Amino acid sequence: MKYLVTGATGGYGTYALGFLKELVPISDIAVLARTEEKAAPLKAAGFDVRLADYSDLTALEQAFTGIDRLLFVSGAPGNRQAEHQNVVDAAKSAGISYIAYTSFPQAERATSDLAADHIYTEKAIEKSGIAHTFLRNNWYFENEMPIIAAALSTGKFVYNAPTGKVGWALKREYAEVGAKALAGADFPEVLELSGKRLTYAELAQALKAVSDKEFEVVAADDKTFVSHLVETGLPDFVAELFLGFQKDIEAKDLDVESKSFEKVLGHSLTDTKEALKELLA
């Protein structure tokens, strides 16, 4: 059996490989990277390196030759639908028998602009006839580092989603499920993966407890939220992007209850305070 992880040089892919090599022989693991330079550490570690970009169908077909099971880490927004279609087409052409794909929470019902590419990709995988699991990952704790860092540096924890709840978990925990799905069998077609649902006010209180710092917790309007992040060093367009995330959260797109996460992991998720300690360390 030959396994391949895309996005292998990114954060999620790196974590997934760490778990995967404990589940299957490293000689059975291939990784996809865009350049030899980025892939050099993986090659040195003993992984079978394949080079391709999601935009190059021919290169993907070559890279997927001999692969049985694929962990398909979603690409960056932009031309994502066309690029993801290339991945699916190449997987079908190469005879890949299973795809685990990192998707979006409750994708078919989500209102977020982020969900559209994932819905498209899920449908493309379904149409391909390839067996699959859609890993509908909620939100990484790591995604909140700009807000957390701003709170610790300015004395103000500023957010824009006063009633929204998020199922935060650590990126490595989502990646562990990805590795288990890739290496395992009998996984369902859809896995909604979400940690304990919390509001930003609850997250802020947990941050106070682990940081031993006092700061004001502010449910801000759009302009104040963006300007606060810009003042801490984020470019305007990134701050606006984070405002968009806040709108998705307030719209309940990430308010998802999951009974599957810990069951698939085989252990408890990291407690919120312990997760924050890990990030701050």
Side-chain angles (χ1 to χ4, degrees), residues 74-90:
S74 61
N79 197 32
R80 190 154 55 177
Q81 291 186 17
E83 292 179 351
H84 283 192
Q85 186 67 59
N86 283 342
V87 175
V88 176
D89 290 345

Side-chain angles (χ1 to χ4, degrees), residues 180-198:
K180 286 178 179 289
L182 184 62
D186 299 323
F187 271 72
E189 291 190 8
V190 176
L191 271 176
E192 292 284 352
L193 300 172
S194 175
K196 181 181 178 181
R197 294 173 295 167
L198 299 171

Side-chain angles (χ1 to χ4, degrees), residues 80 120 136 173 210 250:
R80 190 154 55 177
Y120 177 92
R136 290 181 174 172
E173 293 173 312
V210 301
E250 187 64 13

Side-chain angles (χ1 to χ4, degrees), residues 5-278:
V5 177
T6 76
T9 60
Y12 179 99
T14 298
Y15 282 129
L17 286 173
F19 291 112
L20 185 62
K21 69 181 183 180
E22 299 301 319
L23 301 173
V24 302
I26 196 170
S27 58
D28 291 342
I29 303 173
V31 298
L32 190 73
R34 284 181 289 182
T35 67
E36 290 186 7
E37 182 180 7
K38 285 190 173 183
L42 295 173
K43 187 174 182 178
F47 294 104
D48 174 6
V49 172
R50 312 286 180 95
L51 299 178
D53 187 279
Y54 287 177
S55 64
D56 190 334
L57 176 59
T58 301
L60 286 169
E61 289 173 338
Q62 293 172 348
F64 290 169
T65 300
I67 300 301
D68 299 293
R69 295 172 68 88
L70 176 69
L71 177 53
F72 175 10
V73 181
S74 61
N79 197 32
R80 190 154 55 177
Q81 291 186 17
E83 292 179 351
H84 283 192
Q85 186 67 59
N86 283 342
V87 175
V88 176
D89 290 345
K92 186 173 180 64
S93 176
I96 285 174
S97 62
Y98 173 83
I99 296 174
Y101 169 67
T102 59
S103 192
F104 192 84
Q106 52 185 7
E108 73 281 357
R109 300 197 305 273
T111 60
S112 169
D113 289 342
L114 293 173
D117 292 343
H118 296 290
I119 294 169
Y120 177 92
T121 306
E122 287 191 3
K123 289 180 178 178
I125 293 170
E126 287 173 344
K127 288 177 183 177
S128 76
I130 300 172
H132 56 268
T133 299
F134 300 142
L135 304 167
R136 290 181 174 172
N137 296 341
N138 202 284
W139 219 232
Y140 304 147
F141 273 116
E142 288 88 339
N143 292 350
E144 305 302 340
M145 281 309 296
I147 291 174
I148 290 170
L152 298 179
S153 65
T154 69
K156 287 186 178 182
F157 185 105
V158 179
Y159 64 102
N160 181 256
T163 66
K165 291 186 177 182
V166 184
W168 286 291
L170 290 165
K171 186 181 294 185
R172 62 171 174 80
E173 293 173 312
Y174 290 106
E176 184 176 356
V177 174
K180 286 178 179 289
L182 184 62
D186 299 323
F187 271 72
E189 291 190 8
V190 176
L191 271 176
E192 292 284 352
L193 300 172
S194 175
K196 181 181 178 181
R197 294 173 295 167
L198 299 171
T199 64
Y200 275 94
E202 290 171 319
L203 181 67
Q205 292 308 311
L207 180 62
K208 283 185 178 182
V210 301
S211 67
D212 287 329
K213 289 191 175 183
E214 278 298 320
F215 44 78
E216 185 180 359
V217 181
V218 182
D221 59 31
D222 295 5
K223 183 178 179 180
T224 302
F225 175 80
V226 170
S227 63
H228 177 71
L229 290 179
V230 170
E231 287 167 7
T232 62
L234 260 64
D236 286 37
F237 78 93
V238 176
E240 291 286 351
L241 182 65
F242 271 83
L243 177 62
F245 298 156
Q246 294 285 302
K247 297 302 182 186
D248 294 341
I249 290 164
E250 187 64 13
K252 313 300 183 187
D253 278 354
L254 302 185
D255 189 356
V256 181
E257 183 176 4
S258 169
K259 298 178 180 178
S260 304
F261 209 161
E262 292 185 340
K263 182 179 179 181
V264 174
L265 282 176
H267 58 78
S268 298
L269 288 165
T270 305
D271 173 78
T272 300
K273 290 180 181 178
E274 291 303 313
L276 289 172
K277 287 179 182 178
E278 185 172 321

